[in-house]
Amino acid sequence: MSETTELYYPNRELAKEARIKNMCEYEDLVKWAEEDYEGFWAHYAKEKLDWFELFDEEKVLDESDFPFVKWFGGGKLNVAYQCIDRHLDKRKNKAAIIWEGDRGDKRIITYLELYQEVNRFANLLKNEFGVKKGDRVVIYMPMIPEAAFAMLACARIGAIHSVVFGGFSAEALRDRIIDAEAKVVITADGAYRKDKPYMLKPVVDVALEEETPVEKVLVVERNNEEIAWVKGRDYSYNELIQTQSATCKPEVMESEDPLFLLYTSGSTGKPKGVQHNQAGYILWAQMTMEWVFDVKENDTYWCTADIGWITGHTYIVYGPLAMGATTVMFEGVPTYPDAGRPWKMVEEYRINQFYTAPTAIRVLHKMGEEEPSKYDLSSLKVLGTVGEPIDPPAWKWYYEVVGGGRCAIVDTYWQTETGGHIVSPLPFATPIKPACATLPLPGIFGEILDPQTGERVPVGEKGYMCVTKPWPSMIRGVWGDPERFKKSYFGDVKKNGKPVYFTGDGAVYDELGYITITGRTDDVINVSGHRLGTAEIEAAIKKHPNVAEVAVVGKPHEIKGESIFAYVVLKDDEGLGDEVAEMKAINAVIKSEIGNIALCDDIAFVPGLPKTRSGKIMRRILRAIAKGEPITQDTSTLEDPSVVEKIQTIVNK
Ligand code: WT7
C-alpha cells in the first residue's frame, strides 16, 4: 500500500496568489522558527499587530517560570483596537459581520458600525454597570451580532469575558459564574431555532436564584418573548444603549493581561477556566486566519461554530476581525429548513471559505447527499473541518461534492487550550490526504512522543500529541488553580527531562511525517465536537437519588462521532420494571446539571462495575462492551470477574 497515491494536490491557479504558495515556502518558515525562534515570533508580532508601545526585544519570550510563560514583555496594545480601529482607514465601509438569522433575516455591520456598536456597548458596561479592567463578565448569548459586540466591548475596556455556551443548563452556568467570580452577566431574552423562539434569560434567572457574585444582568431583547425582570438587577440593553456615546478610548493593556476565560472539560473534576491573554492570542488568531484560510481582502468567510466554543472565539470573532476580513455569523441550524441551507447561503453570499465540524458534514451528507449540486458553490476555495477526527467517507463527500474537487480541505487540529490551529494543512501548499491533519504549522513544535521515553514515535506507532516549545497563543493558566494547570498539561510527558505540553490526544505519523489524530487518550468524550468529561457526567448522574454507582464511556456514533453510554448501579432496583422511566429520570438530571449536549443515548442498569481490587473502574472493558467487541483483556484481576459477563448479557439483550 502506498500512502502517497491518496494525496490530493493543491489548486495551482489559486496557489499563485496564496500567502504560502508551496512546500518550499512552508519549509523555509519552519526552518526560520527552528533557527531563530524568538526572532521569528518577534518579526510577526511587529508586522501583524499595532502596538501602543512596542514590546521589549529582550523579552520576546520569558520562560523563567515555566510552564507559566510570558510573551512580548513590555508591549502595550488593545485587542478591540486590533480588530476594529486600525481598519477604519482602509475599510470603514467594508462588511465586518454579515449576520443571518434563523428565519432568514439579515444584518450587515460595517467596520465603522462595529466601531460604534462596540464603543456604545463598552460605555454601557463602564458607565452604567461600573465594569473595570480585570473584572469578569459572563456572556450567555445566542448567535446574534450583539454577542460579538459584547466580547469586543469587554476587550475594549480590559474586562475579562467568559462566554458560556447557550446550551448549558442553569447549574452549569452558575458553576462558571461562581468560579470566575463574575459580577455581570450579558444575555438575551432568547432567539430562534427552526423558526421557533427558544429562551435564555429564564435560565439565567434560575442560575441566579442561589447566591452568586452577580450584581447586574444585561438583556438584549432579540425575540421579544415575555421574560421576568428583577428590579435593580436586570436591565434592557435596547434601552440603555440608546444614550451611550459612540466613542470610547481603548484601555491600554499589557501583552500578558488576561483577555478571556473559556471553560472546558477535563478528565477529572469540574470544568477548567482556560485563560488566554492579549498579545499572543490575537497574534496567532490573525496569523492562522491568514495562513490556514488564506482569506483575501474581498473574500467572505463563514465559520459555523457557536461563539460559546473556542472556534467561535478565534475563528468567528477575533481572527477574522483582526485581519480585517468579512465574517459571516449564523443564528440557525444547518438542516433547517432543509439540508441545503448552508449551500444556499454559500451561493447567496458567495462564501469563499467555509469552516465547520465533521458532525455537521456527516449530517448534511446523510440528509442531503445531492443538496450541494443544486447551488452555485463556485465561490468556494477553502473548506475547513475541526473538532474531531473526520472519517474518510465524509471527507470525500466534502471534497468532491461540496468542493467540486477544486477546493482545499484544511483539517485543522487544535483545542481550547491552544488558542488557534496547531496542526493543519496550508490550503495551497500542503498535499492533503483524507482525514489527516498533516503537519504542524510553522512556529509550532508539534511532535508525537512516546510518553515513556519522551522520544518521537516511529511511523505507524501511536503516541502522545505534544508541543515541545511554548507558543504565543497557548493557555496561560487554569483560572484560580495554578497547580491544576501544571498537572493537567505538563505532568505526563517529558522530552530530554523537561516537561512538555501534552494535548490529551493520541496521534500517529505516516511515512510522509504527516500527523493523524486518533482521539483522546484520557476520559474525555467528544460528542458532536463538544468536549465532555466522563467525571463531569458521572457527577451529574450521581445526583439522582437512586444511583449508587455510575461509569460513563464513549461509544462510536455515526453522526455524533461519539455518544454517551452510562453503566448505572441503582441503590434500589426492586422497582426496575420500567427502565425507560428510569432512563428518562437520569437524563433529566443531566439536562438540569449540564444541558442537552450531555444526554446519554444508552443507559445500562447493571448489578456492579468492573473494578480492580484497588477500586479503579476498568473503563476499557466498558468501552469494549458498549461497542459490542470481545473483551481481550485479562479479567481475572478484577475484584469480581463474573460481573463482566453479567454486564455483557444485559447490554447484548
Ligand atoms: C479536542 C479539543 C478546536 C476547536 C473545537 C474543539 C479534538 C479538534 C480535531 C481534528 C481530530 C480534533 C481533539 C482535541 N479535535 N480538532 N482536526 N482532528 N480531533 O475544541 O472543545 O477544546 O476540543 O477536539 O480531541 O483535543 P475543544
Side-chain angles (χ1 to χ4, degrees), residues 264 310-311 385-389 411-417 503 505 517 520 526 529 531:
T264 190
I310 190 71
T311 311
T385 103
V386 61
E388 51 176 317
D411 181 347
T412 62
Y413 167 74
W414 60 299
Q415 33 180 212
T416 305
E417 293 86 343
T503 58
D505 287 301
I517 304 296
R520 303 289 303 194
N526 192 325
R531 191 166 146 188

Side-chain angles (χ1 to χ4, degrees), residues 283-350:
L283 173 63
W284 192 232
Q286 181 179 340
M287 287 175 69
T288 48
M289 269 310 293
E290 294 179 356
W291 283 351
V292 175
F293 297 116
D294 205 49
V295 176
K296 292 291 193 295
E297 191 59 51
N298 196 35
D299 282 353
T300 305
Y301 157 92
W302 180 19
C303 165
T304 69
D306 189 282
I307 47 124
W309 311 111
I310 190 71
T311 311
H313 284 57
T314 309
Y315 297 112
I316 295 178
V317 180
Y318 288 115
L321 298 176
M323 72 170 293
T326 298
T327 181
V328 174
M329 199 174 171
F330 176 48
E331 179 188 41
V333 296
T335 50
Y336 186 84
D338 57 51
R341 180 75 181 264
W343 320 128
K344 184 168 175 277
M345 284 175 63
V346 167
E347 176 180 283
E348 187 169 341
Y349 299 107
R350 303 193 184 191

Side-chain angles (χ1 to χ4, degrees), residues 107-162:
R107 282 169 72 184
I108 296 178
I109 296 124
T110 65
Y111 272 94
L112 181 60
E113 286 166 337
L114 183 64
Y115 172 83
Q116 292 164 344
E117 296 284 1
V118 168
N119 285 345
R120 285 194 195 101
F121 210 133
N123 282 326
L124 190 166
L125 293 177
K126 230 172 30 176
N127 304 334
E128 311 287 335
F129 289 181
V131 177
K132 292 186 302 294
K133 177 175 173 178
D135 287 346
R136 272 80 60 208
V137 172
V138 161
I139 298 176
Y140 186 69
M141 292 275 268
M143 286 293 289
I144 55 177
E146 286 76 9
F149 303 164
M151 292 163 76
L152 292 160
C154 288
R156 192 158 193 96
I157 62 176
I160 305 168
H161 62 68
S162 170

